[in-house]
Amino acid sequence: MRDKTIRVLAALLFWLAVWAFAAWRVNAEFLLPGPRKVAETLAALGATASFWQTILASLLRIFAGMLLGTLLGALLAVLTTAWDWADAILTPAIRVIRAIPVASFSLLVLLWVYTNRVPVVVSALMVLPVVWGNVSQGIRQTDPLLLEAAKVYRFGRWKTVKLVYIPSVLPYFASGCHTALGLAWKAGVAAEVLCIPKQAIGTQVYYSKYYLETPELFAWTLVVLALSFLMERGLAALLLRLKGGDKG
């Protein structure tokens, strides 16, 4: 654990040094500000209430989209694996959703819903195919011997789901959620950049770029990276705890 921490810190210091050297060589703050200037800008932003309100607003939108996409993806996975007619109708639509770029989705959704809800819908649409694919695979990979045993012991439908399907699907579901969270966060922020809600990280990124406030652009980008890292670690810890509770 200690060696891993040292390696991470060494890599971080190395890239900070590369960044500082590149900024010194460019010698143009509007093109590439140095780490010190970005840190000062980030500290100044963090001292304002609007900074934290903006972060909270973006997190709420993207978590809402993540939850919606996860629920829909899991539901559609059950439908498409249980009934052939549902698979024939729904699977092509899900694959189309998976293939459409985030920018196209954002602009299309902007025509149909309020600006503040666009990141929610876009995040949900990015999450849905991932969760659907993983849960579908988990259902199909359920051990047929366990299903046969459930029939022999005359398990009811809900008991079979609880004791056979859920333990089989859970690792696939966890993997899908881990991947989907990163997609939801990136897609949600990208949608905010395109649709510019009133309070959003993506809006701040857009205005920083528009007014050539490059230190602020870098500062908000660091916020996006830090939040992405923290959310992924938090989700991994939650899923690990759920697995532990399931084993117990």
Side-chain angles (χ1 to χ4, degrees), residues 76 90-102 105 122 124-129:
L76 292 176
L90 297 174
T91 296
I94 296 171
R95 287 175 177 164
V96 168
I97 291 172
R98 185 166 51 192
I100 296 178
V102 174
F105 258 137
V122 171
L125 290 172
M126 293 297 104
V127 167
L128 188 156

PDB file of all heavy atoms in Angstrom, residues 76 90-102 105 122 124-129:
ATOM      1  N   LEU A  76     -35.157  -3.146 -19.138  1.00  0.00           N
ATOM      2  CA  LEU A  76     -35.133  -3.587 -20.535  1.00  0.00           C
ATOM      3  C   LEU A  76     -34.352  -4.886 -20.701  1.00  0.00           C
ATOM      4  O   LEU A  76     -34.679  -5.708 -21.560  1.00  0.00           O
ATOM      5  CB  LEU A  76     -34.539  -2.487 -21.419  1.00  0.00           C
ATOM      6  CG  LEU A  76     -35.389  -1.219 -21.557  1.00  0.00           C
ATOM      7  CD1 LEU A  76     -34.658  -0.178 -22.381  1.00  0.00           C
ATOM      8  CD2 LEU A  76     -36.745  -1.535 -22.177  1.00  0.00           C
ATOM      9  N   LEU A  90     -37.048  -4.086 -28.999  1.00  0.00           N
ATOM     10  CA  LEU A  90     -36.284  -3.145 -28.192  1.00  0.00           C
ATOM     11  C   LEU A  90     -34.784  -3.155 -28.456  1.00  0.00           C
ATOM     12  O   LEU A  90     -34.138  -2.103 -28.397  1.00  0.00           O
ATOM     13  CB  LEU A  90     -36.532  -3.425 -26.702  1.00  0.00           C
ATOM     14  CG  LEU A  90     -37.972  -3.243 -26.224  1.00  0.00           C
ATOM     15  CD1 LEU A  90     -38.114  -3.702 -24.782  1.00  0.00           C
ATOM     16  CD2 LEU A  90     -38.397  -1.776 -26.357  1.00  0.00           C
ATOM     17  N   THR A  91     -34.231  -4.317 -28.751  1.00  0.00           N
ATOM     18  CA  THR A  91     -32.769  -4.406 -28.924  1.00  0.00           C
ATOM     19  C   THR A  91     -32.237  -3.499 -30.034  1.00  0.00           C
ATOM     20  O   THR A  91     -31.226  -2.811 -29.833  1.00  0.00           O
ATOM     21  CB  THR A  91     -32.345  -5.871 -29.164  1.00  0.00           C
ATOM     22  OG1 THR A  91     -32.659  -6.632 -27.991  1.00  0.00           O
ATOM     23  CG2 THR A  91     -30.860  -5.971 -29.445  1.00  0.00           C
ATOM     24  N   PRO A  92     -32.872  -3.436 -31.227  1.00  0.00           N
ATOM     25  CA  PRO A  92     -32.365  -2.503 -32.245  1.00  0.00           C
ATOM     26  C   PRO A  92     -32.381  -1.052 -31.782  1.00  0.00           C
ATOM     27  O   PRO A  92     -31.454  -0.287 -32.078  1.00  0.00           O
ATOM     28  CB  PRO A  92     -33.328  -2.721 -33.424  1.00  0.00           C
ATOM     29  CG  PRO A  92     -33.874  -4.092 -33.225  1.00  0.00           C
ATOM     30  CD  PRO A  92     -33.988  -4.262 -31.747  1.00  0.00           C
ATOM     31  N   ALA A  93     -33.411  -0.656 -31.050  1.00  0.00           N
ATOM     32  CA  ALA A  93     -33.490   0.723 -30.563  1.00  0.00           C
ATOM     33  C   ALA A  93     -32.371   1.018 -29.570  1.00  0.00           C
ATOM     34  O   ALA A  93     -31.760   2.096 -29.605  1.00  0.00           O
ATOM     35  CB  ALA A  93     -34.855   0.964 -29.902  1.00  0.00           C
ATOM     36  N   ILE A  94     -32.069   0.068 -28.698  1.00  0.00           N
ATOM     37  CA  ILE A  94     -30.997   0.267 -27.715  1.00  0.00           C
ATOM     38  C   ILE A  94     -29.646   0.376 -28.419  1.00  0.00           C
ATOM     39  O   ILE A  94     -28.797   1.188 -28.034  1.00  0.00           O
ATOM     40  CB  ILE A  94     -30.999  -0.888 -26.687  1.00  0.00           C
ATOM     41  CG1 ILE A  94     -32.303  -0.879 -25.890  1.00  0.00           C
ATOM     42  CG2 ILE A  94     -29.808  -0.776 -25.745  1.00  0.00           C
ATOM     43  CD1 ILE A  94     -32.509  -2.094 -25.013  1.00  0.00           C
ATOM     44  N   ARG A  95     -29.458  -0.412 -29.464  1.00  0.00           N
ATOM     45  CA  ARG A  95     -28.187  -0.353 -30.204  1.00  0.00           C
ATOM     46  C   ARG A  95     -28.047   0.970 -30.950  1.00  0.00           C
ATOM     47  O   ARG A  95     -26.941   1.504 -31.093  1.00  0.00           O
ATOM     48  CB  ARG A  95     -28.100  -1.530 -31.164  1.00  0.00           C
ATOM     49  CG  ARG A  95     -27.834  -2.844 -30.432  1.00  0.00           C
ATOM     50  CD  ARG A  95     -27.857  -4.039 -31.331  1.00  0.00           C
ATOM     51  NE  ARG A  95     -27.525  -5.252 -30.592  1.00  0.00           N
ATOM     52  CZ  ARG A  95     -27.746  -6.478 -31.019  1.00  0.00           C
ATOM     53  NH1 ARG A  95     -28.303  -6.665 -32.216  1.00  0.00           N
ATOM     54  NH2 ARG A  95     -27.411  -7.525 -30.285  1.00  0.00           N
ATOM     55  N   VAL A  96     -29.161   1.521 -31.422  1.00  0.00           N
ATOM     56  CA  VAL A  96     -29.130   2.848 -32.060  1.00  0.00           C
ATOM     57  C   VAL A  96     -28.733   3.903 -31.032  1.00  0.00           C
ATOM     58  O   VAL A  96     -27.915   4.785 -31.304  1.00  0.00           O
ATOM     59  CB  VAL A  96     -30.501   3.177 -32.687  1.00  0.00           C
ATOM     60  CG1 VAL A  96     -30.575   4.652 -33.079  1.00  0.00           C
ATOM     61  CG2 VAL A  96     -30.748   2.298 -33.910  1.00  0.00           C
ATOM     62  N   ILE A  97     -29.321   3.825 -29.840  1.00  0.00           N
ATOM     63  CA  ILE A  97     -28.974   4.764 -28.766  1.00  0.00           C
ATOM     64  C   ILE A  97     -27.487   4.696 -28.452  1.00  0.00           C
ATOM     65  O   ILE A  97     -26.821   5.721 -28.277  1.00  0.00           O
ATOM     66  CB  ILE A  97     -29.803   4.448 -27.500  1.00  0.00           C
ATOM     67  CG1 ILE A  97     -31.274   4.793 -27.733  1.00  0.00           C
ATOM     68  CG2 ILE A  97     -29.272   5.212 -26.291  1.00  0.00           C
ATOM     69  CD1 ILE A  97     -32.201   4.353 -26.619  1.00  0.00           C
ATOM     70  N   ARG A  98     -26.946   3.489 -28.408  1.00  0.00           N
ATOM     71  CA  ARG A  98     -25.528   3.303 -28.102  1.00  0.00           C
ATOM     72  C   ARG A  98     -24.636   3.901 -29.190  1.00  0.00           C
ATOM     73  O   ARG A  98     -23.509   4.353 -28.897  1.00  0.00           O
ATOM     74  CB  ARG A  98     -25.235   1.810 -27.930  1.00  0.00           C
ATOM     75  CG  ARG A  98     -23.814   1.508 -27.499  1.00  0.00           C
ATOM     76  CD  ARG A  98     -23.680   0.080 -27.010  1.00  0.00           C
ATOM     77  NE  ARG A  98     -24.225  -0.888 -27.948  1.00  0.00           N
ATOM     78  CZ  ARG A  98     -24.430  -2.169 -27.667  1.00  0.00           C
ATOM     79  NH1 ARG A  98     -24.123  -2.627 -26.456  1.00  0.00           N
ATOM     80  NH2 ARG A  98     -24.921  -2.994 -28.564  1.00  0.00           N
ATOM     81  N   ALA A  99     -25.113   3.931 -30.419  1.00  0.00           N
ATOM     82  CA  ALA A  99     -24.274   4.386 -31.537  1.00  0.00           C
ATOM     83  C   ALA A  99     -24.303   5.899 -31.747  1.00  0.00           C
ATOM     84  O   ALA A  99     -23.390   6.449 -32.369  1.00  0.00           O
ATOM     85  CB  ALA A  99     -24.718   3.691 -32.821  1.00  0.00           C
ATOM     86  N   ILE A 100     -25.336   6.586 -31.254  1.00  0.00           N
ATOM     87  CA  ILE A 100     -25.465   8.027 -31.515  1.00  0.00           C
ATOM     88  C   ILE A 100     -24.503   8.817 -30.629  1.00  0.00           C
ATOM     89  O   ILE A 100     -24.430   8.571 -29.419  1.00  0.00           O
ATOM     90  CB  ILE A 100     -26.915   8.494 -31.268  1.00  0.00           C
ATOM     91  CG1 ILE A 100     -27.854   7.817 -32.273  1.00  0.00           C
ATOM     92  CG2 ILE A 100     -27.033  10.008 -31.384  1.00  0.00           C
ATOM     93  CD1 ILE A 100     -29.314   8.169 -32.077  1.00  0.00           C
ATOM     94  N   PRO A 101     -23.752   9.774 -31.175  1.00  0.00           N
ATOM     95  CA  PRO A 101     -22.810  10.570 -30.380  1.00  0.00           C
ATOM     96  C   PRO A 101     -23.524  11.445 -29.342  1.00  0.00           C
ATOM     97  O   PRO A 101     -24.690  11.817 -29.515  1.00  0.00           O
ATOM     98  CB  PRO A 101     -22.112  11.455 -31.431  1.00  0.00           C
ATOM     99  CG  PRO A 101     -22.380  10.803 -32.740  1.00  0.00           C
ATOM    100  CD  PRO A 101     -23.689  10.103 -32.607  1.00  0.00           C
ATOM    101  N   VAL A 102     -22.791  11.794 -28.292  1.00  0.00           N
ATOM    102  CA  VAL A 102     -23.342  12.620 -27.217  1.00  0.00           C
ATOM    103  C   VAL A 102     -23.802  13.979 -27.739  1.00  0.00           C
ATOM    104  O   VAL A 102     -24.861  14.479 -27.358  1.00  0.00           O
ATOM    105  CB  VAL A 102     -22.287  12.815 -26.106  1.00  0.00           C
ATOM    106  CG1 VAL A 102     -22.791  13.790 -25.039  1.00  0.00           C
ATOM    107  CG2 VAL A 102     -21.942  11.486 -25.466  1.00  0.00           C
ATOM    108  N   PHE A 105     -27.147  13.682 -29.488  1.00  0.00           N
ATOM    109  CA  PHE A 105     -28.187  13.467 -28.489  1.00  0.00           C
ATOM    110  C   PHE A 105     -28.535  14.771 -27.778  1.00  0.00           C
ATOM    111  O   PHE A 105     -29.712  15.101 -27.582  1.00  0.00           O
ATOM    112  CB  PHE A 105     -27.731  12.447 -27.449  1.00  0.00           C
ATOM    113  CG  PHE A 105     -28.331  11.086 -27.662  1.00  0.00           C
ATOM    114  CD1 PHE A 105     -27.557   9.950 -27.530  1.00  0.00           C
ATOM    115  CD2 PHE A 105     -29.665  10.931 -27.981  1.00  0.00           C
ATOM    116  CE1 PHE A 105     -28.086   8.693 -27.718  1.00  0.00           C
ATOM    117  CE2 PHE A 105     -30.216   9.672 -28.173  1.00  0.00           C
ATOM    118  CZ  PHE A 105     -29.422   8.557 -28.043  1.00  0.00           C
ATOM    119  N   VAL A 122     -29.578  12.975 -21.293  1.00  0.00           N
ATOM    120  CA  VAL A 122     -28.403  12.505 -22.028  1.00  0.00           C
ATOM    121  C   VAL A 122     -27.613  11.493 -21.199  1.00  0.00           C
ATOM    122  O   VAL A 122     -27.187  10.447 -21.706  1.00  0.00           O
ATOM    123  CB  VAL A 122     -27.516  13.695 -22.445  1.00  0.00           C
ATOM    124  CG1 VAL A 122     -26.177  13.206 -23.012  1.00  0.00           C
ATOM    125  CG2 VAL A 122     -28.233  14.549 -23.483  1.00  0.00           C
ATOM    126  N   ALA A 124     -28.762   9.584 -18.846  1.00  0.00           N
ATOM    127  CA  ALA A 124     -29.569   8.351 -18.782  1.00  0.00           C
ATOM    128  C   ALA A 124     -29.425   7.542 -20.065  1.00  0.00           C
ATOM    129  O   ALA A 124     -29.289   6.309 -20.021  1.00  0.00           O
ATOM    130  CB  ALA A 124     -31.032   8.700 -18.533  1.00  0.00           C
ATOM    131  N   LEU A 125     -29.448   8.208 -21.209  1.00  0.00           N
ATOM    132  CA  LEU A 125     -29.340   7.517 -22.487  1.00  0.00           C
ATOM    133  C   LEU A 125     -27.962   6.886 -22.694  1.00  0.00           C
ATOM    134  O   LEU A 125     -27.832   5.865 -23.377  1.00  0.00           O
ATOM    135  CB  LEU A 125     -29.658   8.479 -23.631  1.00  0.00           C
ATOM    136  CG  LEU A 125     -31.119   8.916 -23.742  1.00  0.00           C
ATOM    137  CD1 LEU A 125     -31.272  10.005 -24.791  1.00  0.00           C
ATOM    138  CD2 LEU A 125     -32.024   7.728 -24.074  1.00  0.00           C
ATOM    139  N   MET A 126     -26.922   7.496 -22.118  1.00  0.00           N
ATOM    140  CA  MET A 126     -25.587   6.911 -22.209  1.00  0.00           C
ATOM    141  C   MET A 126     -25.432   5.700 -21.288  1.00  0.00           C
ATOM    142  O   MET A 126     -24.730   4.745 -21.600  1.00  0.00           O
ATOM    143  CB  MET A 126     -24.524   7.967 -21.850  1.00  0.00           C
ATOM    144  CG  MET A 126     -24.398   9.106 -22.842  1.00  0.00           C
ATOM    145  SD  MET A 126     -23.876   8.561 -24.495  1.00  0.00           S
ATOM    146  CE  MET A 126     -25.447   8.660 -25.376  1.00  0.00           C
ATOM    147  N   VAL A 127     -26.097   5.757 -20.148  1.00  0.00           N
ATOM    148  CA  VAL A 127     -25.999   4.674 -19.164  1.00  0.00           C
ATOM    149  C   VAL A 127     -26.829   3.465 -19.587  1.00  0.00           C
ATOM    150  O   VAL A 127     -26.411   2.306 -19.405  1.00  0.00           O
ATOM    151  CB  VAL A 127     -26.466   5.189 -17.781  1.00  0.00           C
ATOM    152  CG1 VAL A 127     -26.691   4.042 -16.804  1.00  0.00           C
ATOM    153  CG2 VAL A 127     -25.449   6.177 -17.229  1.00  0.00           C
ATOM    154  N   LEU A 128     -27.998   3.712 -20.135  1.00  0.00           N
ATOM    155  CA  LEU A 128     -28.957   2.641 -20.438  1.00  0.00           C
ATOM    156  C   LEU A 128     -28.350   1.473 -21.229  1.00  0.00           C
ATOM    157  O   LEU A 128     -28.487   0.317 -20.806  1.00  0.00           O
ATOM    158  CB  LEU A 128     -30.157   3.239 -21.178  1.00  0.00           C
ATOM    159  CG  LEU A 128     -31.368   2.349 -21.438  1.00  0.00           C
ATOM    160  CD1 LEU A 128     -32.609   3.213 -21.605  1.00  0.00           C
ATOM    161  CD2 LEU A 128     -31.209   1.475 -22.679  1.00  0.00           C
ATOM    162  N   PRO A 129     -27.680   1.692 -22.367  1.00  0.00           N
ATOM    163  CA  PRO A 129     -27.166   0.543 -23.135  1.00  0.00           C
ATOM    164  C   PRO A 129     -26.104  -0.253 -22.387  1.00  0.00           C
ATOM    165  O   PRO A 129     -26.009  -1.473 -22.556  1.00  0.00           O
ATOM    166  CB  PRO A 129     -26.575   1.197 -24.394  1.00  0.00           C
ATOM    167  CG  PRO A 129     -27.180   2.548 -24.466  1.00  0.00           C
ATOM    168  CD  PRO A 129     -27.416   2.966 -23.060  1.00  0.00           C
TER     169      PRO A 129
END
